[in-house]
Amino acid sequence: MRTFYTPVDLRSRADMTGFLKKHFRYHTMNSWNRSTSYACNLKIHRLGLDGECESKLFDMIDTQEFFDLRRALLDEFDRQHNYLWQAGMNGRSSGYLVLYQGELKPSGYLSFCTECGQKNCRPATETDCVCGRCGNSTRINFRRPDMQVISYSLRGTDMDEEFEDWRLTELRERVRLVQSLDQLADRMVAQAIHLCRSYEVAEKTIFVPKTQKVLVSHA
């Protein structure tokens, strides 16, 4: 099984700059925007897994449970870095784990409907609390500012950077950041292997209610 985390001597400028320069990179959006960032290749056939586990994973990636568990790991990474740095999947088959820049900022919404969840930019008052979506008088103000996560997918990170003018403290901070991305990749691989060993993929028929218009005769 392939692992991504690599120990680095944080006392050595040469080791730190070498680690950052040689680290795998990938596009933050598409190849045409030419922006790249630190990344990990998580394509199934590149993980060094046995044939049975590899075959299972190709089926599992189409399940909602697999997606939700992977999303939870990505969200945890984002929270740990206060959303200033975020991890996301990119590539034609979402096979690359990529480091993105971002931020957490107020959304501008001041109230929300407790019935349907619709948000509103106006504050709710005793005379103005009707929801614009469902029409119920159930709109209330947020107790805390509503925040939204912003991702800058067009921004690259350390592209063509030589790190010559970076202080040692800055280099250590960047190395630790990239190492945390590598550790995330290792956790994602470990999670995938656990799923392969603990679960099977089965087909289940689910009936989804559908609303459609029909003709009804006059009584």
Side-chain angles (χ1 to χ4, degrees):
M1 180 186 75
R2 180 183 179 183
T3 57
F4 293 88
Y5 174 78
T6 303
V8 179
D9 186 353
L10 299 180
R11 300 166 298 178
S12 169
R13 174 179 289 273
D15 285 1
M16 290 190 289
T17 55
F19 169 76
L20 295 173
K21 288 181 179 180
K22 295 176 183 178
H23 197 281
F24 179 76
R25 302 179 66 86
Y26 195 73
H27 306 292
T28 57
M29 195 170 179
N30 295 310
S31 57
W32 55 262
N33 78 327
R34 299 183 180 180
S35 295
T36 65
S37 182
Y38 301 100
C40 298
N41 187 345
L42 290 179
K43 286 184 174 292
I44 295 174
H45 67 276
R46 298 292 297 273
L47 299 179
L49 306 176
D50 61 75
E52 181 182 359
C53 186
E54 186 174 297
S55 179
K56 271 190 176 182
L57 270 182
F58 277 113
D59 289 334
M60 285 187 172
I61 58 177
D62 292 328
T63 66
Q64 186 63 42
E65 292 88 347
F66 185 93
F67 175 84
D68 291 341
L69 290 170
R70 184 180 69 180
R71 183 70 258 172
L73 289 177
L74 295 173
D75 290 343
E76 180 184 23
F77 179 92
D78 297 350
R79 288 193 299 270
Q80 289 174 346
H81 293 87
N82 297 318
Y83 299 95
L84 296 175
W85 295 101
Q86 301 168 23
M89 307 305 298
N90 198 22
R92 185 174 300 176
S93 57
S94 298
Y96 298 94
L97 177 67
V98 183
L99 182 67
Y100 291 93
Q101 298 181 42
E103 65 175 315
L104 190 66
K105 61 187 298 185
S107 66
Y109 292 113
L110 301 177
S111 61
F112 69 98
C113 176
T114 59
E115 189 70 24
C116 69
Q118 175 76 2
K119 297 180 181 180
N120 197 296
C121 293
R122 300 196 315 272
T125 65
E126 292 184 0
T127 58
D128 183 12
C129 61
V130 176
C131 174
R133 173 190 285 177
C134 67
N136 293 315
S137 300
T138 50
R139 188 162 54 86
I140 63 174
N141 293 323
F142 285 103
R143 293 183 178 179
R144 299 176 181 175
D146 182 57
M147 309 297 287
Q148 64 176 339
V149 177
I150 305 297
S151 300
Y152 298 111
S153 57
L154 292 176
R155 291 185 185 177
T157 299
D158 298 344
M159 295 173 59
D160 303 318
E161 182 63 65
E162 294 296 329
F163 305 104
E164 294 177 351
D165 300 327
W166 286 45
R167 298 191 299 270
L168 285 176
T169 53
E170 294 174 322
L171 281 173
R172 292 188 187 107
E173 183 178 345
R174 181 65 94 238
V175 167
R176 290 189 179 108
L177 170 65
V178 178
Q179 283 181 316
S180 69
L181 182 76
D182 294 341
Q183 290 171 322
L184 171 61
D186 287 336
R187 290 196 298 274
M188 294 175 74
V189 174
Q191 182 186 79
I193 293 175
H194 168 72
L195 292 174
C196 285
R197 293 174 177 172
S198 305
Y199 296 90
E200 297 288 341
V201 177
E203 293 186 350
K204 181 179 180 181
T205 301
I206 300 176
F207 296 97
V208 180
K210 178 182 178 181
T211 301
Q212 62 182 20
K213 294 181 179 180
V214 298
L215 294 178
V216 179
S217 62
H218 294 291

